[in-house]
Amino acid sequence: MTTRITHLPSGSDIRSLFERSVVEAGFLLTVEDGLGIEHLLRHRGTRNAPNPPLLNGLLRHKLRISRVAPEPAPPDLVVAERHVTYMISGEGARTGVISMSPVPIPGHVLVASLLGATLIGMRKLQKAPLLRVDGQIDTVVVLDVGPPPKHAAA
């Protein structure tokens, strides 16, 4: 029997999923990324997601538990407009540029998605639980972080 998470339980029990990750390494958000997340939440930038209430809860939780990143952001920190290589629960490595856009862009991982909301603020080799649209919980690990590819910077 599969448990489907369609909304956050009262009291935001989502905290328990992230406690270990926060204790081990924590999440860091740049001021700009924090403002970008707040903008997505305020202007319904998550409305195209399969489950906006779940994503909104995750983004609000990320804002609450994250520390402010030093400026300039460390090179191993996943921030908007950086290229990230990641792996989900033993699948092959995938890559994309982290984006605050509310609409899909080829080659980008939107912060307005469960994956992007999880990745933002992580560091190279950090692991975290990944909520899936189908209610499953996987693990995502950041393998590498770098500048966006030159063709994506245009």
Side-chain angles (χ1 to χ4, degrees):
M1 180 176 184
T2 301
T3 302
R4 291 181 169 256
I5 301 173
T6 57
H7 64 280
L8 290 177
S10 60
S12 293
D13 261 347
I14 199 168
R15 289 184 305 243
S16 63
L17 295 175
F18 289 93
E19 282 177 359
R20 203 167 111 206
S21 295
V22 171
V23 169
E24 289 174 359
F27 297 103
L28 297 172
L29 289 177
T30 63
V31 171
E32 187 174 341
D33 285 346
L35 291 172
I37 290 171
E38 288 175 4
H39 185 268
L40 286 171
L41 291 168
R42 216 177 345 213
H43 298 285
R44 297 185 27 182
T46 61
R47 69 183 170 277
N48 295 322
N51 190 333
L54 182 62
L55 177 57
N56 290 344
L58 176 58
L59 288 170
R60 284 187 186 100
H61 185 68
K62 182 68 76 104
L63 286 172
R64 279 194 303 273
I65 66 170
S66 298
R67 293 176 290 141
V68 176
E71 296 289 342
D76 68 338
L77 182 64
V78 177
V79 300
E81 302 309 317
R82 283 196 179 159
H83 187 262
V84 63
T85 303
Y86 59 93
M87 186 170 56
I88 299 170
S89 295
E91 297 174 5
R94 300 179 193 179
T95 66
V97 175
I98 300 297
S99 175
M100 287 290 175
S101 173
V103 294
I105 301 171
H108 287 68
V109 178
L110 304 183
V111 174
S113 70
L114 292 172
L115 175 61
T118 301
L119 288 171
I120 191 98
M122 291 178 66
R123 286 175 273 193
K124 185 176 177 177
L125 302 181
Q126 185 177 358
K127 293 180 186 179
L130 172 64
L131 296 171
R132 302 295 288 232
V133 174
D134 64 2
Q136 297 292 317
I137 300 171
D138 287 331
T139 300
V140 63
V141 60
V142 174
L143 301 175
D144 197 19
V145 181
K150 288 186 179 13
H151 65 276

